[in-house]
Amino acid sequence: MASTSMPMPTSTSTTTPTIHIPPSVLDTLIDVFWNMLVSKWIAAAGLVAMLYDIVLTLEDEIEVIWKKKKVLSSVLYLAVSTITTATPWWSSTFLRGWTITL
């Protein structure tokens, strides 16, 4: 039985595909990525400020809210503080794959 083999390509030159991006599109992409970077740094600064506030006021919160009888105002305070603390984590975790179409 004769073996049949496929011929090997003999071309030694390789070409790399070139992508041409118009300057206006490139400028727009740079602006978009820059704005994304700035918004992440602003969000990080807001998170640090919020955590700093929590650390500063935690002792007072324990004395005034947690150790006292639960009334409507203390329940509302705990609900609002929990929601505002959890929102940045929730949005960064669960909304990560969402996209906005322009």
Side-chain angles (χ1 to χ4, degrees), residues 20-67:
H20 296 285
I21 300 175
S24 62
V25 173
L26 189 58
D27 289 341
T28 303
L29 287 174
I30 290 170
D31 287 343
V32 166
F33 288 123
W34 175 253
N35 290 336
M36 288 171 51
L37 180 66
V38 169
S39 67
K40 285 184 179 187
W41 282 107
I42 291 172
L47 180 63
V48 167
M50 184 177 65
L51 291 175
Y52 182 69
D53 178 61
I54 289 171
V55 168
L56 287 180
T57 59
L58 185 61
E59 186 177 344
D60 293 335
E61 182 179 325
I62 290 171
E63 289 295 322
V64 174
I65 302 293
W66 294 1
K67 290 186 177 180

Side-chain angles (χ1 to χ4, degrees), residues 10-28:
T10 58
S11 174
T12 58
S13 66
T14 58
T15 58
T16 308
T18 305
I19 299 173
H20 296 285
I21 300 175
S24 62
V25 173
L26 189 58
D27 289 341
T28 303

Side-chain angles (χ1 to χ4, degrees), residues 4 9 11 19 22 48-49 61 82 89 91 101:
T4 57
S11 174
I19 299 173
V48 167
E61 182 179 325
T82 303
W89 172 81
S91 63
T101 308

Side-chain angles (χ1 to χ4, degrees), residues 89-101:
W89 172 81
W90 181 84
S91 63
S92 68
T93 302
F94 295 110
L95 301 180
R96 186 171 290 159
W98 290 28
T99 58
I100 298 173
T101 308

